[in-house]
Amino acid sequence: MKGADMAVTKIVDVGTADAVWFKYLLSCIAASCAEFGKSSPDSCPVPYRGLFRTGLGVVREEGILCLWQGITPAVFRHVIYTGVRMNGYEWMRNQVREEGASLPVWQAALGGLLAGGTGQLLASPADLVKVQMQMEGRRRLLGQKPRVLSARHAFQRIISEGGVRSLWKGCVPNVQRSALVNLGDLTTYDSVKGRLVRNTACSGLVSATLGTPADVVKTRVMNQPTDHHGRGLLYRNSIDCFIHLVRSEGLLAMYKGFLPCWMRMAPWSLTFWFTYENMRKFFGTPTF
C-alpha cells in the first residue's frame, strides 16, 4: 500500500502540483465534468409547464441531445470563468489568511464576489454565445429559420452585427449574477467544508437563492433585440430591466425558474467539488 501511495504522489512533482497553472487546469477539467453531467430543459424551451414535463417535452420534440444544446460554449466559458474564479479566490485567500486558520466569513464573501465577477467579465462573450445557441430550440419549434448554426457562427454573427464590443452585451447583469452566485458557492463551501455532500448541496441552494434574480435579469437583457449599434431596444441596463419586471410582473417574477435553477446548481456543485478535490488529492495538490 505504501508503494502504491508513493507511486500516486510521484505522478507530478511537488512544484507542479502546487503551481497556479496546474490548479487552473484541474478546475477547468472538474467544471467540464460537471457541465457535461448537467442537462438543462431551459436549453431548449418548449410549450410545457413544469420542470419534468418540460424535460420530457424536450426529448420528444427535439431529441435527448437537445438537453445539451450549447455545451461547446458552456465548456469554453468554464475554461475562463471557473479557472479565474477558483484560482483568483484561492490566491486572494492565501494573501490574507494565516496558515492553518479559517478565513472570516466577510472576507470569504468579498473574495467570492470579486473572483466571480472578474471571471464572468472575462467569460461573458462565451456566455452570450451559449445563451443564443440555447434559444435556438424555441425558434425551431416555431418553424423559424435558425439564426446561428454553431458556436463559431454565433461569434461571427455577433461581431458582424455589433462589433467586438457587442460580445459583452448583458455583461453587467452577468457579472452581478456571477458575483452573487460565487458569494454563495465559494463562501459557503470554504466556510464549512468538513462535510462535503452537505456543504455542496447547501452551497448550491445559497447560490440559487442569491443568483436567480440576477439570472432572470441577465437572460432578459441578453435576449432582447438590439439596434444596429448593439444597444438594447427593451431595457437600457440591468437596473432598468429589474424595475420594468417588478412593475409589470411583480417581485416574485425575479424568482421564476428557481427550482430548476437550484436543481441544476446543486448537482453541478456536488460534481464539481467532488471531482476537483479528488483530483487535487490524487496529484498531491493541497485541498482547496
Side-chain angles (χ1 to χ4, degrees), residues 165-181:
R165 182 180 178 183
S166 63
L167 288 171
W168 276 266
K169 174 187 175 183
C171 172
V172 173
N174 232 352
V175 170
Q176 292 170 343
R177 173 191 176 275
S178 294
L180 291 172
V181 165

Side-chain angles (χ1 to χ4, degrees), residues 3-26:
D5 291 340
M6 289 180 63
V8 169
T9 57
K10 289 183 179 180
I11 291 178
V12 294
D13 58 60
V14 177
T16 299
D18 201 33
V20 173
W21 70 266
F22 188 73
K23 290 186 284 188
Y24 192 105
L25 177 62
L26 295 182

Side-chain angles (χ1 to χ4, degrees), residues 205-236:
L205 175 61
V206 175
S207 298
T209 303
L210 294 174
T212 298
D215 196 31
V216 171
V217 172
K218 178 205 76 170
T219 302
R220 297 290 183 96
V221 171
M222 293 180 76
N223 284 320
Q224 69 174 320
T226 58
D227 59 20
H228 63 283
H229 293 296
R231 292 190 292 263
L233 299 178
L234 300 179
Y235 316 109
R236 295 190 301 273

Side-chain angles (χ1 to χ4, degrees), residues 85 89 92 107-117 178-183 186-187:
R85 78 181 180 101
Y89 177 86
M92 286 187 286
Q107 290 184 354
L110 181 60
L113 284 170
L114 292 175
S178 294
L180 291 172
V181 165
N182 281 278
L183 185 153
L186 293 176
T187 304

Side-chain angles (χ1 to χ4, degrees), residues 258-276:
F258 172 78
L259 181 60
C261 181
W262 178 38
M263 293 186 70
R264 289 196 307 270
M265 284 186 170
W268 195 99
S269 288
L270 177 60
T271 304
F272 171 77
W273 284 112
F274 180 82
T275 305
Y276 187 49

Side-chain angles (χ1 to χ4, degrees), residues 97-166:
R97 185 184 66 176
E98 296 182 5
E99 186 174 355
S102 299
L103 196 67
V105 174
W106 72 268
Q107 290 184 354
L110 181 60
L113 284 170
L114 292 175
T118 302
Q120 184 56 52
L121 178 64
L122 297 175
S124 280
D127 203 34
L128 177 60
V129 170
K130 181 190 74 171
V131 170
Q132 292 202 358
M133 289 185 66
Q134 289 175 340
M135 292 304 295
E136 289 305 303
R138 182 185 295 275
R139 294 180 61 84
R140 288 196 297 271
L141 286 173
L142 296 175
Q144 299 175 353
K145 184 179 179 180
R147 295 173 299 180
V148 296
L149 303 176
S150 64
R152 180 179 179 180
H153 181 223
F155 268 111
Q156 293 173 337
R157 179 176 177 272
I158 293 169
I159 294 175
S160 64
E161 292 184 356
V164 175
R165 182 180 178 183
S166 63

